[in-house]
């Protein structure tokens, strides 16, 4: 059974930087993974995703030029580097893992992923 666990959430000032990490366990191959976030009172939305070999990446429009997704398969770890943070980036950030190295569905659809972490809180103060 695949399990993922996030870490790195924190309180950061507007314009600051933060790096989130997610470790994956139980996968038999390097699967596609993603970061989602959920702000209070809002739907969970996709932020970024990456294929199993790290060569295909997607990122939501609001994060282009500010966030970067990467992975270290030797360490079974996924990262989200956040820079130039904005208050609207505030939310619970979730790591998700798909069943295959490629995207079996839309990169931004929740049902593309089969394993979810408990989330890590990011708060950006203005």
């Amino acid at each position: 059974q695949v399990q993922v666990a996030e870490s790195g959430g924190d309180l950061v000032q507007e314009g600051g930087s933060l790096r989130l990490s997610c470790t994956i366990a139980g996968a038999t191959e390097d699967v596609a993974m993603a970061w989602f976030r959920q702000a209070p009172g809002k739907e969970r939305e996709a932020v970024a995703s990456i294929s199993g070999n790290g060569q295909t990446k997607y990122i939501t429009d609001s994060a282009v030029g500010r966030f970067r997704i990467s992975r270290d398969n030797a360490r079974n770890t996924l990262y989200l580097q956040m820079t130039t943070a904005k208050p609207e980036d505030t939310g619970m950030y979730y790591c998700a893992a798909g069943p295959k190295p490629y995207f079996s569905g839309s990169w931004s659809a929740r049902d593309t992923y089969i394993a979810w972490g408990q989330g890590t809180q990011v708060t950006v103060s203005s």
Side-chain angles (χ1 to χ4, degrees), residues 61-110:
D61 288 346
S62 64
V64 171
R66 301 189 301 118
F67 292 6
R68 186 170 71 91
I69 188 169
S70 62
R71 64 191 298 160
D72 183 341
N73 288 338
R75 290 182 166 81
N76 295 319
T77 303
L78 173 74
Y79 302 100
L80 183 69
Q81 179 68 52
M82 305 170 61
T83 62
T84 321
K86 301 178 179 181
E88 52 264 43
D89 295 326
T90 294
M92 187 70 78
Y93 281 69
Y94 297 90
C95 174
K100 297 292 185 181
Y102 50 87
F103 298 100
S104 55
S106 168
W107 75 272
S108 60
R110 291 179 62 176

Side-chain angles (χ1 to χ4, degrees), residues 7-13 15-21 35-37 47-48 59 62-63 65-70 79-94 120-124:
S7 62
D10 205 346
L11 172 65
V12 61
Q13 289 192 335
S17 298
L18 194 64
R19 189 176 79 162
L20 306 183
S21 300
W35 288 100
F36 282 70
R37 70 183 173 199
V47 176
I59 192 159
S62 64
R66 301 189 301 118
F67 292 6
R68 186 170 71 91
I69 188 169
S70 62
Y79 302 100
L80 183 69
Q81 179 68 52
M82 305 170 61
T83 62
T84 321
K86 301 178 179 181
E88 52 264 43
D89 295 326
T90 294
M92 187 70 78
Y93 281 69
Y94 297 90
T120 187
Q121 178 68 37
V122 173
T123 303
V124 183

Side-chain angles (χ1 to χ4, degrees), residues 33-52:
M33 299 183 72
W35 288 100
F36 282 70
R37 70 183 173 199
Q38 187 166 17
K42 294 189 176 181
E43 294 288 320
R44 191 175 300 188
E45 62 175 353
V47 176
S49 64
I50 188 169
S51 60

